[in-house]
């Protein structure tokens, strides 16, 4: 009888450690996959909201109606707490419309620092748009340089 108790005492510690490690590994993997799923869902939601704003201002862009574009973007940024700032650039990167009037016409938007412009976190390209003009939507990891 004494031998069985010592054998049980010897086995219980490794079994407890193995079960604990398995639980921790499963929890870590579940957290990782759930975080990635949540991030993808949020990026899709941001794309959906921005695409809706883009459709509302699309007809204004062809007429270069910058005043109403800015009003639409201001209303969108006030309605959504996720939008910290907005900037509309031409193909050369010159600011056409942004939330800071002093920066309009500048070659870049200095509020944000994007460390790696070659690898966006989220990217979507739509080629089936009005007049077959392709559009690109990219989300980058970025850092604010000053308060907005």
């Amino acid at each position: 009888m004494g031998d069985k108790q010592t054998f049980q005492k010897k086995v219980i510690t490794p079994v407890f450690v193995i079960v604990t490690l398995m639980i921790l590994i499963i929890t870590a993997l579940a957290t990782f996959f759930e975080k990635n799923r949540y991030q993808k869902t949020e990026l899709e939601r941001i794309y959906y909201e921005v695409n809706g704003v883009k459709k509302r201002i699309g007809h204004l862009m062809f007429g270069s109606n910058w005043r109403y574009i800015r009003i639409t973007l201001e209303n969108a940024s006030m309605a959504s707490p996720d939008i910290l700032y907005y900037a509309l650039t031409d193909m050369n990167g010159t600011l056409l419309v942004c939330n800071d009037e002093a920066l309009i016409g500048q070659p870049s938007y200095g509020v944000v620092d994007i460390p790696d412009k070659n690898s966006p976190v989220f990217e979507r390209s739509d080629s089936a748009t009005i007049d077959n003009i392709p559009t690109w939507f990219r989300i980058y990891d970025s850092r604010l340089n000053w308060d907005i």
Side-chain angles (χ1 to χ4, degrees):
M1 280 297 222
D3 292 332
K4 287 184 180 180
Q5 284 182 340
T6 58
F7 179 70
Q8 287 176 349
K9 286 181 182 179
K10 288 180 182 177
V11 171
I12 197 152
T13 303
V15 169
F16 178 73
V17 169
I18 291 172
V19 169
T20 304
L21 286 176
M22 290 296 290
I23 290 172
L24 289 174
I25 290 171
I26 291 171
T27 304
L29 287 174
T31 303
F32 175 75
F33 288 120
E34 188 63 24
K35 177 186 164 207
N36 285 344
R37 188 181 67 82
Y38 177 74
Q39 182 180 18
K40 183 179 177 186
T41 303
E42 283 298 307
L43 293 173
E44 289 285 340
R45 184 187 59 79
I46 291 169
Y47 170 73
Y48 177 76
E49 287 181 12
V50 170
N51 198 31
V53 171
K54 183 183 78 169
K55 287 178 181 177
R56 287 196 301 268
I57 67 171
H59 66 284
L60 299 171
M61 290 177 66
F62 290 109
S64 297
N65 198 339
W66 306 123
R67 179 174 178 251
Y68 287 112
I69 290 175
R70 182 154 186 214
I71 290 171
T72 303
L73 291 172
E74 278 290 329
N75 290 337
S77 66
M78 290 185 342
S80 176
D82 295 330
I83 300 174
L84 298 176
Y85 64 91
Y86 57 87
L88 179 66
T89 64
D90 62 4
M91 294 300 284
N92 298 325
T94 303
L95 289 170
L96 302 174
V97 175
C98 67
N99 55 344
D100 187 1
E101 289 182 14
L103 296 175
I104 294 176
Q106 299 293 324
S108 65
Y109 194 65
V111 173
V112 177
D113 180 30
I114 301 173
D116 188 12
K117 293 183 180 182
N118 296 326
S119 60
V121 176
F122 181 82
E123 185 172 14
R124 181 71 55 90
S125 176
D126 296 328
S127 57
T129 59
I130 299 172
D131 297 330
N132 293 325
I133 298 172
T135 59
W136 296 273
F137 178 81
R138 296 180 183 106
I139 298 177
Y140 295 96
D141 282 329
S142 58
R143 183 177 59 247
L144 291 174
N145 293 335
W146 61 73
D147 290 337
I148 298 176

